[in-house]
Amino acid sequence: MAQKIGQALIQEKKLTERQLAIALQRQVTLGGRLGTNLVELGFLTDTELTQALGRHLKMTPAQPEIFDSIPLEVIHLVPQELAQKYTMVPFRKEGRTLCIAMADPSELAALDELTFVIGCTVQPFLASESKIHAALETYYGLARPRRYVSLVASTAAGSGTGSDGAVEDDETEQTLPTIENFEHGLKPSYEELVHANQRDEIVAVLLREFSRVADHVLFFAVAEARVIGLMARGGGYAMDDFLGMEIRLDQSPLLRQAVEKQEPVIQLFAPEALGSGLTDLLRRYQPRQIAAFPLMAAGQVVGIFYADKQQVTGAFPYVDLLQQLTAKGGMMMEVLILKKKILEL
C-alpha cells in the first residue's frame, strides 16, 4: 500500500502526529486538500508542502519563479475552460512538449484530455493550489475561489437556489408544522445522517430541517476566530454575497456567544447583534427573532447554523428538537473525522 503523505511528513520530521490529527479534523469540517490545511494552520510553508509532495509522488515541482512571466503564446495553448476545470497552468513549451503546473499531476483524465485538445505531449509538474490559482487569476482573469466553498454546485438544488446562483426570493409567510409533525419528520433525516459520507451532506440535511421552522437558514464553518459562509436556504439575498463571506467572531455578538457558550443563542432582532456583515446581507428584510445553533464535533464548535423568523409569536419554535438535530449532526461529523484519521494516521 502506498504511504500516505501525512505519514511521510511525520517520518521526515516535518510534522507531528498531533499536527496531522488537527489538520485532518480541520479538513473534514472546513474542506479543501490536506496540504492546504497544513499550510493554513502554519504547520508547513507552501514551499515545504510542494517539496514534500514532490518527493512523495515522485513528481518534479514547478519552481515558484516560473509563474512570474509565462509567455502569452504558451497560455493560449490551453483553453481557459480546461485550465479552470483541472486547476492547471501551462508555463513552457519545449518542441512538441507542453509543460504544465498542476495541483494533482497524477490526474490521468486531465492529462489525457489536454493531450487530445492541444495535440502534443504534456509534461506535468507539481505546484500548490495557491500558486496555481494566483496564476489563473493573472493569466486567465479567473478570480481566485474563496477558500472552503466546496461542493456548492452539488448541493445547490437542495438549497433553494435558482439557475443564476441567487437564492430564490420567497416572501410568503411560512406555515409552522405542528410539533408532532416536525418531530415525526426528523426520523428519516436521522437515517440520512447515518449514511452521510461528507460534511456537506450532513449540513444539507440540517439546513432542510431548520428551514421547516425558520424563514432563512445560513451555515457558517468556524475557522479559528472567524466564520465562513458555506451553505444556505431561504430567500431575500444573493447567494454569491454569502458564499465565502468571512466574519470575525468579535464582530458578531450572536455568533460569538454561540461559540463561547456552546449552546443555542436566541434573541430579538438587533443589527448590532449580527454585526455589519450579516446585517448588510439580510438588509432586504428585518426578522423578528434571530438564533444561532452551534454544531459541535470533537469537543469544539466547528459550525454555526443561523436561523430567523419574520412572523412569529412566542418563543423561537422547537429549540429542543433543533438542538437535538444539531447534536446528531455533530456526532456524524465526529464519525467522519474518525474515519479520516483511521485512513491517514
Side-chain angles (χ1 to χ4, degrees):
M1 180 184 294
Q3 187 182 40
K4 300 290 186 179
I5 181 61
Q7 286 299 321
L9 288 166
I10 290 174
Q11 287 190 4
E12 294 176 5
K13 308 297 184 183
K14 299 291 186 182
L15 203 64
T16 67
E17 288 196 8
R18 174 167 173 73
Q19 288 174 326
L20 177 57
I22 292 171
L24 290 171
Q25 177 174 324
R26 193 177 193 268
Q27 184 185 18
V28 171
T29 58
L30 292 180
R33 294 175 182 269
L34 174 60
T36 301
N37 282 278
L38 288 169
V39 172
E40 289 175 341
L41 285 166
F43 296 157
L44 293 175
T45 66
D46 193 80
T47 299
E48 288 173 334
L49 172 64
T50 303
Q51 291 174 346
L53 285 171
R55 291 191 299 272
H56 181 68
L57 297 174
K58 295 181 172 56
M59 301 292 299
T60 304
Q63 297 303 311
E65 59 269 17
I66 63 99
F67 296 103
D68 295 338
S69 56
I70 302 175
L72 290 182
E73 58 267 25
V74 172
I75 291 294
H76 293 158
L77 291 173
V78 177
Q80 181 188 81
E81 296 77 14
L82 206 58
Q84 184 177 30
K85 178 181 178 181
Y86 291 116
T87 316
M88 61 170 63
V89 175
F91 62 89
R92 185 171 64 243
K93 192 169 188 294
E94 300 173 341
R96 294 281 300 166
T97 300
L98 180 65
C99 301
I100 58 170
M102 302 177 64
D104 185 4
S106 64
E107 194 167 6
L108 297 180
L111 300 177
D112 289 344
E113 184 174 354
L114 182 59
T115 300
F116 176 79
V117 170
I118 66 175
C120 67
T121 303
V122 173
Q123 183 178 354
F125 288 76
L126 182 70
S128 67
E129 287 181 297
S130 61
K131 293 288 187 185
I132 294 175
H133 283 304
L136 287 172
E137 184 175 58
T138 299
Y139 296 104
Y140 287 95
L142 297 170
R144 301 184 209 188
R146 292 177 175 182
R147 176 64 174 90
Y148 312 119
V149 180
S150 62
L151 300 177
V152 170
S154 64
T155 58
S159 304
T161 58
S163 59
D164 61 353
V167 176
E168 293 174 358
D169 195 356
D170 183 3
E171 299 292 345
T172 59
E173 184 176 345
Q174 184 182 47
T175 301
L176 192 67
T178 65
I179 188 168
E180 293 80 9
N181 287 340
F182 183 66
E183 189 169 16
H184 179 74
L186 289 176
K187 294 179 180 179
S189 293
Y190 294 156
E191 290 290 332
E192 288 185 66
L193 289 176
V194 170
H195 295 96
N197 292 313
Q198 56 187 2
R199 176 205 62 197
D200 287 10
E201 293 178 9
I202 296 172
V203 174
V205 171
L206 270 64
L207 281 173
R208 185 187 66 225
E209 295 306 320
F210 266 90
S211 68
R212 292 171 61 200
V213 298
D215 293 313
H216 306 87
V217 192
L218 312 175
F219 175 72
F220 294 91
V222 177
E224 288 77 52
R226 68 190 192 284
V227 296
I228 304 159
L230 287 189
M231 298 171 66
R233 286 183 73 107
Y237 58 93
M239 177 66 92
D240 288 344
D241 291 339
F242 170 69
L243 295 177
M245 167 185 280
E246 294 194 16
I247 301 174
R248 293 209 324 263
L249 285 172
D250 61 7
Q251 295 176 334
S252 179
L254 179 78
L255 303 183
R256 186 189 70 245
Q257 289 179 57
V259 172
E260 292 176 349
K261 294 181 178 180
Q262 298 187 352
E263 61 184 29
V265 177
I266 300 164
Q267 66 172 78
L268 295 176
F269 171 76
E272 59 272 18
L274 295 178
S276 59
L278 261 182
T279 300
D280 290 344
L281 179 72
L282 306 173
R283 64 181 177 273
R284 286 186 56 183
Y285 63 92
Q286 289 194 356
R288 296 191 181 181
Q289 283 187 309
I290 54 177
F293 289 75
L295 178 67
M296 298 282 299
Q300 62 183 338
V301 179
V302 298
I304 299 175
F305 288 90
Y306 162 86
D308 63 40
K309 291 289 292 180
Q310 287 179 276
Q311 302 294 330
V312 67
T313 57
F316 198 91
Y318 313 150
V319 171
D320 289 344
L321 290 174
L322 292 173
Q323 191 171 9
Q324 177 179 297
L325 171 69
T326 308
K328 290 182 184 293
M331 291 177 192
M332 193 60 216
M333 194 79 77
E334 290 180 359
V335 171
L336 297 186
I337 292 171
L338 286 173
K339 286 182 178 180
K340 194 76 174 176
K341 290 180 178 179
I342 288 171
L343 293 172
E344 298 286 346
L345 287 175

